[in-house]
Amino acid sequence: MTVVTTRTFTPDAAGLSQAAAVLGDGGLVAFPTETVYGLGVDARNSDAVARLYAAKGRPGFNPLIVHVASLDAAEAYVEFDDTARALAQAFWPGALTLVLPLRADAGISPLVTAGLDTLAIRVPDHGVAAALLAAFDGPIAAPSANPSGQVSPTKAAHVADHMTGIIDGIVDGGDCPVGVESTIVATQPRPTLLRAGGLPAEAIANAVGQDLAMAGDADAPTSPGQLASHYAPKGTVRLNAVDINEGEVLLGFGAVDAPLNLSPSGDLVEAAARLFDALHQLNAMGAAQIAVSPIPDHGLGAAINDRLRRAAAPRSG
């Protein structure tokens, strides 16, 4: 990975304006929330989101949480039912993430949602995070600002220790008061705890007037990113294709002649950014049989191949 200069931004108007400009240019900026430091990118920029996955060494396209400035701002990206709106009014800003239906015109990168039709979204309860969101004036996707599998950071120094030379900047806003990630809840078909976190589940249950279902219950929604069918185009998929059979449409990678190419230069970050959009394009083309060029199975290639293997898996039903 190319070494980048990691700047430190002060949590004042000047520093946050600089950090917001970096985000607007597709950069990666760590910032404090009440839970942990998040590694933020413009949630609408697929290239930036793909770079975030590479920077974290994240093994797959796990859906990301999008941070917004207010409930009103969230309304532009997701559809609220009565329960979700009541929870947002009760606990936002705060350590509650809601998983809600994505609006068709939301403009969120499909890498953020892992191609799903839902979005995880919250309003952070931290002055610096709120000021950065105001300065950026847009949705910020932000998982924890640490290499995948390591301890989440609650101080700017934690971020600097692991991410210097990898990300573009760190907003030093002091210690995170909550120190554990947000609680994640889906409200349909019933209120369901997808991840325990900084807001106690009991408080949520009291607010909705019923016990929460647990992720994995038969009548509860599956946690984001677990269903293979979410990644499958309408046509059948054949992987590691070096020759094209009659009737197949090639999804290329590298120096191959293809109507759609994830990255002619063989750049895995570019390929990751284009993957979900390419699958949507194949549907729009009416491709009944899809051949996919071999893709290296390292770095982001492992995540790309994971999604493609799910797309190629036999369909149920």
Side-chain angles (χ1 to χ4, degrees):
M1 183 179 294
T2 303
V3 176
V4 301
T5 299
T6 302
R7 302 164 63 187
T8 299
F9 300 109
T10 53
D12 54 19
L16 293 172
S17 177
Q18 293 169 346
V22 172
L23 290 170
D25 288 337
L28 279 61
V29 176
F31 65 97
T33 75
E34 79 278 26
T35 57
V36 299
Y37 269 76
L39 181 53
V41 295
D42 184 345
R44 302 160 296 194
N45 185 332
S46 286
D47 288 336
V49 178
R51 188 174 161 224
L52 182 153
Y53 279 103
K56 280 182 62 72
R58 200 170 172 101
F61 295 144
N62 298 323
L64 303 175
I65 295 172
V66 167
H67 298 68
V68 294
S70 65
L71 172 56
D72 285 345
E75 297 265 15
Y77 305 110
V78 292
E79 298 175 355
F80 284 82
D81 55 47
D82 290 343
T83 300
R85 184 168 284 103
L87 288 174
Q89 290 169 341
F91 297 115
W92 281 0
L96 172 67
T97 293
L98 294 172
V99 177
L100 301 172
L102 183 70
R103 288 192 178 277
D105 59 351
I108 298 294
S109 165
L111 294 188
V112 169
T113 62
L116 301 176
D117 57 4
T118 54
L119 178 68
I121 195 165
R122 84 179 184 100
V123 178
D125 186 16
H126 193 286
V128 174
L132 178 61
L133 284 161
F136 180 60
D137 193 24
I140 299 177
S144 57
N146 56 284
S148 183
Q150 299 195 22
V151 179
S152 296
T154 56
K155 303 174 182 287
H158 296 162
V159 183
D161 285 346
H162 293 288
M163 306 303 283
T164 296
I166 300 173
I167 66 176
D168 299 289
I170 303 169
V171 178
D172 188 347
D175 295 358
C176 300
V178 174
V180 295
E181 289 85 356
S182 61
T183 303
I184 303 179
V185 169
T187 58
Q188 293 297 324
R190 60 169 292 192
T192 300
L193 182 68
L194 300 180
R195 182 181 75 183
L199 178 65
E202 293 84 354
I204 302 167
N206 286 338
V208 298
Q210 61 178 291
D211 290 338
L212 301 179
M214 299 293 118
D217 286 357
D219 61 348
T222 303
S223 296
Q226 299 302 305
L227 296 179
S229 60
H230 284 298
Y231 309 107
K234 295 176 182 177
T236 60
V237 178
R238 183 170 68 89
L239 304 180
N240 299 312
V242 293
D243 297 305
I244 307 305
N245 298 328
E246 184 177 353
E248 288 184 328
V249 177
L250 178 63
L251 178 59
F253 178 84
V256 296
D257 183 16
L260 287 175
N261 196 314
L262 294 174
S263 176
S265 66
D267 184 327
L268 290 171
V269 171
E270 181 181 37
R274 293 181 175 180
L275 176 61
F276 289 122
D277 184 59
L279 296 179
H280 283 294
Q281 288 187 57
L282 287 163
N283 281 343
M285 293 166 60
Q289 299 177 65
I290 301 162
V292 183
S293 295
I295 296 172
D297 201 34
H298 60 77
L300 280 177
I304 295 167
N305 282 320
D306 170 75
R307 294 312 184 264
L308 288 170
R309 281 191 292 270
R310 296 184 189 216
R315 314 292 169 81
S316 60

